[in-house]
Every structure is written in structure tokens, then in C-alpha cells.
Amino acid sequence: MTVDDRRLSPFTGYTRAHWAASADRMLLALRPYASVDHARIDLPGHASAYGRDSDSLEAFARSFLLAAIRLRGESGADPHGLAQWYADGLRAGTDPSSPTAWPRPDRLDQAKVEACSIALGLHLSRPWLWDRLDPGDRERVVAWLGTVVGQEYPPINWVWFQIVVETFLRSVGGPWSADDVERGLRVHESLYRAHGWYSDGPERAYDHYGGWALHVYPLLWAEQAGEFCPDDLRRSWRTRLARFLDDAVSLIGADGSPLLQGRSLSYRFAAAAPFWMGAITGASDLPPGVLRRACSGILAHFAANGVPDERGLLTLGWHREWPAMAQSYSGPGSPYWAAKGMLGLALPADHPVWTEPEGPLPVEAGDVAAALPVPGWLVSGTRGDGLVRIVNHGTDHSVPHDERADSPLYARLGYSTATLPPLVGATVGDPSDNSVTVVDGAGRRTHRNGFEALGCELVDGVGRAVSRARAHWVATEDDHGPDHGSGRRGAVRHGPTLTMGSLLRGAVEVRAARVDSPVGLDAATRLEFSGWPVAGDAPPEARTPAGSPGAEVAAGPVVSCLVGLVGLDTAEVRRERRTSPLGEHVAVPLLRTTQPPRVGGVYVAAVVLRGADAARHALPTVAVRPDGAADTVTVRWPDGVTSTLSLPAPPTRDHR
């Protein structure tokens, strides 16, 4: 058992030895599930939409990347025979006559992804694996990888799968296309927004892919490509990574949990990958000890919550196995993209990231308050309980005016390091937490997908953001198509325009909404505010907070509280079961109007998420002042500080 070192790592106790032991345990745990020739790794669990052949290739390719990282960091020292084990699998998987031959990238889209892990693994481990293959084996590997040349790739992070493969092929005398590489680089550049942030596609898709793919692959490729990579690109990518890490490090909780937001969360500690890239490239202003603290905190968080499981396997889920968390492309081998979160093992033991003492995360050094205008997030980290929470007025995995249903992983008003929206088939269902909705007589709630972002800023230490949505009901029951993280489609029924705004200070958000049109309103409709969801293996405790109307729920380490301040006069607790990977039982506090919402009416609530052991927060008082151009919500915080929130009038009143 690896011994903690609290001198070198006062926050986590983790050293490079912990990382190495974790990687080796995961690699060795796969071997009982491998075919005799090692080409297939057939793990237990639900198959992806691509089928078992694809899933077994995923498990091989992604774990091979981890094995290559181990070989690179140990300069080829190989006590577990990783090089030979994976060389055998490469030999059989790329042999078209083998019964365990892999599906080819030109015949199966998912194989395009896995080809990248294989090519990158071959690059990282080249002296100890590729250089020792016989010529016939090399020819078969080149032929299999070469089927990516000239293929079409979607204009998202996938373009890197082609760039990396073809650059490896170029280095070994195989086929490649300069046009493919140049086209992919142009797509990548089109995904950059500002302040170090990428969107994974033309939509407002801000999530972990920005870190573990769109920052990691370019700089890995720059090293792989050598002089083939233009110096100006290399400099630009380094600058962007450094800026991104300044924001990203503030999104990790003191317990090491990454932000629970966005698709593919079962990749778990892949969230550490961009921090390792900061160490590998030196492209970060963060001290090496803080970079390691971020990475080790993430790995330790999952280890403390049973990841990998008792078999040493990574399963579909967050902490424990929870298959409903998967997107349709996710199979039993998918979680092994977590290998990228172990990139630090490619660095030798004497690198400063391993030898400098750990430094504190921002949330451990003090309270955090920030505004990230590109994703439209207000950030608040509270040192007293170690929680990090964001309020979201800019991200929905969609484009303005799109009328799909809200994706629970993107379109909620709040995300944190300790809560996760209830998931029903990943994207199906009406918003049930952290939302402002209109509820019709049948109990259906509106969606805000396609909203307009109206600003995100930090003013005197208080976060302020505003957005406007044309609320709409969506009948998603008949949408059985693939789930890639976006909201479901269906017949749309329009509701009123809602202008929403937030002030965020510490654990408290003051959330306001104005109803801007009468569309869809009738005698049965009500306006609903919902708060933070909490989950536990036992039903969360519910209680009535001071300052009713309101509701408070508590489970495990967190407490969620929602109190009406203006216009919301009835409270209750919504309870669900088996809708969250964080626990069997889920509870969400909510507030409603007792009458139909009034056009032009402004409604305000205090939305609180705090640690169970943190002190209760006195709530602010508010006053609403109507104005022809805007309604102003003035908030007086308990310590006397005053903040204002302006809800701008829509350009034209919507009477449709």
C-alpha cells in the first residue's frame, strides 16, 4: 500500500507513487476481460449505440494510451510487460484475417476516435513498442490507421483525432494529407472564443471538453509534430492554456471534485488533463505544486468514492456505477478516456510538478468570486465549506432561439462540485431543478434553451448576470434519437418571454425573473422557481427555513435552501427516486405563485447552497423599482453592502 506523504503533499498526501499504483491497478484489472491475443477487451456493462466491437476497441485503445504514458514516464522500465501485451493486441487488431480484428475508422465513426488514442500511444511509447515491431506488423498498423485519410470529421474536438493520426503516419512514412491537417487546424481555430475558452462546436458548448480535448490535443500535437507545427500556433495555444487554467483551477472543490456539468462525465479524472498540460509545457502561471494539488485532488476524490471499483475497473457513472448517466455513444470502455487525466505520469519523478510541495486551491486559500463572460458563468467558492458553485446565464449546448428542451447537463441556472441535476435518460424530461419555469395546468414546465445572454460581470465582488428566454413547452416523448448531450426535440408550444437575472455572493444567489408577455398564460399557469438538488441514499431531510415562504432540504454534505423574497408565495419539496448518480433519493426545494404570473411582474427568491456544517446565512432584503427601460432589483446584503440588478426591457413587447 502506498504511504501518504503529508510533508510533500499536505492537502492530499498523494505522490507520484500513488498515481503510478493507480494506473497500474487499472491496467492490470483489464486483463481478465481480454481476448487471448489481447486485441479485444470486453468489459461488463451496457453496450453503446455503436455495439460491442466498438466498445472493446475503446477499452483497448484508451487503456493503451495509459500504458504508453507509463512507459514514457519510466523511460521504458516495464515490470508489468505493458509494451509486449499491447503490441500483441495491436498485431491482432489490425490484422484483417484475425477473428478479433478491429472495425476500421473508414467503416465505423467511433473507430476514428480510438485511432487517435492508438496513434498517440504509439508516439509516446515509440522507442519501446513501435520501434520493436517487425515490418509486417508495422505495415498492418499503418494500413489500419491510414483509413482515416480523407475522411470527414464533425467540426468539434474530433478534428484532432484525424490530425494526430495523420501526423503519426507522416512520421513513419505512411499516408497522410496536408489538406486534412490544415482543414482540422482551421476548424480548431474556429472553436476559440476568448479568454482561453473554446466551445466544442458552433453551439454554446462549454464543458470539460474544452480542457481535456481542445487544450490538451493541440499542445500534445505540437510536441508530436515538431517543426511541422508553426511557432505562432504553439505560442498561441500556450497563452490560451495559461489563461484557461487561471479560470479552471477555481472550478475545483476543496474535496477535489470537478464541476459536475456537461456531457461525458464518466471520464471523471480526465478533468485533470489540462492541468498536467500546464506542467508538461510550462504554459501556466500556476505554481507546479498547485497544478499537482489540482490533479491529485481530483484523483483522490474519486478514489475516496470507490473509483475504480473493487475489481479495479472504471464503470459508467460518477462515483459508483450508474449506467443512466451515459450518452448513447458511451460504452463500458468509454470511461478509460480518464487516461488523459494521468498525463502527469509521462513526466519523470524529478520534475518540479512532482517534487514541489502542494499549494492550496483557490477555494482553500480564500473565498472565490469571479465572472467568466465566455461561458456566461458566475463563480463562487466558499472556503468555509469548500464548495464551488456557478450560476449559468450563457451555456446551453445550443444556439440562440433554438427551441429544443433544456439539457440538464448544460442549461440549468446552477451547477456545483457537490450537486448534479436529476437525469432522466440523460436529457429527457422537464427542468426540475435550478430553473425558472412556467407550469401549465397539466404540470408541464417550460424550457429556456436558446436563450439570449445579456451580460456576465463581477461588480464590487458580487457576480451579476442576465439572460432572456422565450419559454416554451416541448413534448419530447417521441424523440428516441441518439443522445450527444443536447436537449431533446419535439412539438413546441410557446410560452411567455422571461427575463432572468442573478446576483451571486458567497453561498447566496438572488434570482429574479420578469414575465414579459402573456403568451401561453391562462388561469391554470403558475410561475415556479426551483433550487439546488440534493441526493442521498436515504430521503433528504426537509424543513422550513426562517423567512418563509421557503423550503430547505439536506443530504450528506450539502444543504439547499430556497426562500421567496418577492411575489412567490407557496413552497414545497419535489422528491424523485433513481434520477441521480449521487444517491437513490433526490429532493429539490421549489416556490410557486398562487395565481397566474402577472405580465410585467418581477419575482425574486434567495437560492442557497451551503455545506451541512457551514453556518446559516442571513438572507438579504430586496426592493424592486419599475422603470420604462428596465426594472431594477436593489439587494441589501446582511453586512450592509448594496448591489443592484437591472432587468432590461425586451426590444419589443412580445404579444405573440
Side-chain angles (χ1 to χ4, degrees):
M1 182 176 181
T2 308
V3 178
D4 287 0
D5 185 339
R6 293 290 171 177
R7 179 197 59 81
L8 181 64
S9 302
F11 294 94
T12 68
Y14 271 37
T15 65
R16 192 176 187 280
H18 289 81
W19 282 86
S22 180
D24 291 346
R25 180 188 176 210
M26 288 190 293
L27 288 168
L28 296 176
L30 293 170
R31 292 187 177 183
Y33 301 93
S35 58
V36 173
D37 57 15
H38 308 164
R40 290 183 66 106
I41 301 177
D42 290 298
L43 296 172
H46 295 280
S48 74
Y50 291 109
R52 290 290 182 183
D53 288 347
S54 173
D55 296 345
S56 70
L57 169 59
E58 263 192 332
F60 178 93
R62 299 180 182 201
S63 63
F64 171 52
L65 177 58
L66 178 55
I69 290 168
R70 289 290 286 130
L71 290 168
R72 175 75 165 246
E74 301 302 323
S75 298
D78 190 11
H80 301 297
L82 297 173
Q84 186 59 55
W85 199 93
Y86 280 95
D88 291 344
L90 283 162
R91 183 177 298 111
T94 57
D95 182 353
S97 67
S98 169
T100 56
W102 298 327
R104 289 176 14 173
D106 59 340
R107 296 174 181 170
L108 177 73
D109 280 348
Q110 188 61 34
K112 296 175 179 177
V113 182
E114 309 321 317
C116 176
S117 290
I118 289 171
L120 186 56
L122 288 169
H123 166 70
L124 292 173
S125 64
R126 185 165 179 166
W128 312 287
L129 202 160
W130 176 263
D131 289 349
R132 298 180 183 182
L133 291 176
D134 67 42
D137 293 335
R138 291 185 197 174
E139 289 175 9
R140 283 185 288 273
V141 172
V142 165
W144 188 84
L145 291 173
T147 63
V148 310
V149 178
Q151 291 291 307
E152 293 296 321
Y153 284 67
I156 57 174
N157 72 88
W158 276 46
V159 297
W160 282 104
F161 306 148
Q162 187 172 42
I163 293 170
V164 169
V165 171
E166 295 198 25
T167 301
F168 174 76
L169 289 169
R170 175 179 178 270
S171 75
V172 297
W176 70 287
S177 165
D179 288 343
D180 286 351
V181 173
E182 291 168 5
R183 181 172 58 250
L185 292 175
R186 287 195 300 271
V187 169
H188 175 77
E189 188 61 25
S190 76
L191 303 179
Y192 184 67
R193 300 299 177 255
H195 308 305
W197 283 82
Y198 289 91
S199 176
D200 190 23
E203 300 174 318
R204 296 180 291 203
Y206 301 104
D207 51 31
H208 287 292
Y209 275 89
W212 64 40
L214 295 170
H215 278 294
V216 167
Y217 282 119
L219 287 166
L220 284 175
W221 177 76
E223 184 272 333
Q224 177 196 24
E227 63 183 18
F228 185 48
C229 174
D231 287 341
D232 60 335
L233 282 185
R234 196 187 313 264
R235 286 192 297 269
S236 175
W237 293 339
R238 288 170 59 91
T239 299
R240 292 173 183 178
L241 174 62
R243 179 64 184 84
F244 173 77
L245 292 179
D246 289 343
D247 290 341
V249 73
S250 296
L251 300 176
I252 303 172
D255 67 350
S257 178
L259 192 67
L260 281 87
Q261 180 272 339
R263 64 193 179 100
S264 300
L265 288 175
S266 61
Y267 300 164
R268 297 182 176 95
F269 45 85
F275 299 101
W276 286 130
M277 283 308 302
I280 290 169
T281 61
S284 176
D285 298 324
L286 299 172
V290 173
L291 292 170
R292 189 175 82 255
R293 163 69 184 105
C295 297
S296 289
I298 292 170
L299 185 66
H301 171 80
F302 287 107
N305 286 282
V307 180
D309 69 9
E310 67 281 357
R311 300 165 295 181
L313 299 180
L314 298 178
T315 58
L316 288 169
W318 182 247
H319 293 154
R320 54 193 162 190
E321 186 171 12
W322 205 74
M325 192 172 180
Q327 273 69 61
S328 56
Y329 54 77
S330 304
S334 297
Y336 286 84
W337 233 34
K340 289 191 291 187
M342 306 197 99
L343 274 167
L345 283 170
L347 294 170
D350 60 356
H351 190 280
V353 80
W354 293 119
T355 60
E356 286 195 11
E358 283 182 342
L361 294 169
V363 75
E364 293 168 318
D367 290 348
V368 175
L372 309 182
V374 175
W377 294 347
L378 303 176
V379 183
S380 175
T382 40
R383 184 181 184 184
D385 54 22
L387 296 178
V388 175
R389 42 188 93 56
I390 67 166
V391 169
N392 169 35
H393 284 271
T395 296
D396 59 358
H397 207 272
S398 191
V399 296
H401 312 300
D402 191 318
E403 294 182 326
R404 279 176 288 184
D406 292 353
S407 166
L409 296 168
Y410 289 92
R412 295 294 187 260
L413 281 165
Y415 296 93
S416 81
T417 56
T419 64
L420 185 67
L423 304 174
V424 182
T427 54
V428 180
D430 294 342
S432 62
D433 72 291
N434 259 324
S435 299
V436 175
T437 63
V438 177
V439 186
D440 67 13
R444 296 300 301 265
R445 299 180 293 280
T446 55
H447 299 254
R448 71 171 187 140
N449 185 80
F451 61 81
E452 180 185 1
L454 299 178
C456 176
E457 59 185 344
L458 192 69
V459 181
D460 297 329
V462 178
R464 182 167 66 192
V466 182
S467 59
R468 179 177 292 125
R470 188 174 185 190
H472 52 282
W473 289 274
V474 186
T476 60
E477 292 81 0
D478 294 331
D479 184 349
H480 303 295
D483 165 28
H484 293 148
S486 298
R488 292 286 183 179
R489 296 189 181 276
V492 171
R493 179 164 50 97
H494 292 127
T497 299
L498 300 177
T499 300
M500 293 171 272
S502 300
L503 292 170
L504 180 62
R505 190 178 190 223
V508 181
E509 174 202 354
V510 174
R511 182 180 300 171
R514 187 186 61 228
V515 180
D516 287 332
S517 70
V519 178
L521 301 181
D522 58 33
T525 53
R526 300 292 184 266
L527 187 70
E528 178 183 289
F529 281 42
S530 51
W532 292 92
V534 299
D537 290 332
E541 177 188 358
R543 47 199 180 225
T544 302
S548 290
E552 183 174 281
V553 290
V558 293
V559 176
S560 168
C561 181
L562 183 66
V563 175
L565 301 178
V566 177
L568 299 158
D569 32 36
T570 181
E572 62 182 85
V573 173
R574 177 180 293 124
R575 294 187 181 274
E576 302 180 10
R577 292 191 66 184
R578 302 185 184 94
T579 62
S580 173
L582 300 182
E584 170 79 7
H585 299 268
V586 177
V588 182
L590 61 89
L591 290 162
R592 283 186 181 175
T593 57
T594 54
Q595 298 296 321
R598 178 174 60 87
V599 176
V602 176
Y603 302 83
V604 187
V607 188
V608 182
L609 179 70
R610 62 176 175 85
D613 297 328
R616 289 182 176 273
H617 294 78
L619 297 180
T621 58
V622 303
V624 178
R625 180 172 58 85
D627 191 312
D631 293 297
T632 300
V633 179
T634 300
V635 176
R636 184 176 177 84
W637 302 95
D639 61 0
V641 172
T642 299
S643 305
T644 59
L645 174 67
S646 177
L647 300 178
T652 57
R653 292 291 177 180
D654 186 351
H655 296 291
R656 289 174 292 176

